[in-house]
Amino acid sequence: MYDGGEFNDVNRSFVNLSYTGIVVLLVTWWFRRMNFSLFVRMIPGMLTVIAAIILFYVGFVNIRGFEGAAYGILGFFLVIFAIISFIIAKSIGTR
């Protein structure tokens, strides 16, 4: 019986990616709400960009084919979450 194989693994990766992105956004929002310095508020976004670069590199150089492309897509979406995190961190917001 066919259980989905690689498709289930890639699908699970996208679900984990959305959890990771939501955690990054929530931590950034919490840092902004606690009035930390701009550098501290940007740390989650910077770590996310570093993780995305590493994922893209591993997918492009070490793992080839469809699974490598999945790593690249995950890295791309992590960069999108990082950009949103930077926007949240830089916004002043009114209280």
Side-chain angles (χ1 to χ4, degrees):
M1 185 157 104
Y2 180 69
D3 64 348
E6 284 186 31
F7 178 74
N8 284 336
D9 293 339
V10 172
N11 197 15
R12 200 171 306 125
S13 298
F14 283 112
V15 171
N16 290 337
L17 167 71
S18 64
Y19 291 151
T20 305
I22 290 170
V23 167
V24 166
L25 295 178
L26 285 175
V27 168
T28 304
W29 172 77
W30 182 66
F31 283 172
R32 188 191 77 177
R33 192 162 182 240
M34 299 301 286
N35 292 327
F36 287 129
S37 68
L38 181 62
F39 177 74
V40 172
R41 288 183 288 176
M42 292 183 82
I43 288 175
M46 288 186 283
L47 292 176
T48 305
V49 167
I50 292 169
I53 291 170
I54 291 171
L55 274 175
F56 186 78
Y57 177 78
V58 167
F60 189 71
V61 174
N62 295 337
I63 304 171
R64 296 173 192 230
F66 288 109
E67 191 174 351
Y71 274 82
I73 292 169
L74 291 174
F76 174 75
F77 281 106
L78 278 179
V79 168
I80 291 174
F81 278 115
I83 290 171
I84 296 170
S85 175
F86 286 139
I87 292 170
I88 291 173
K90 293 191 90 174
S91 67
I92 302 298
T94 57
R95 291 193 137 198

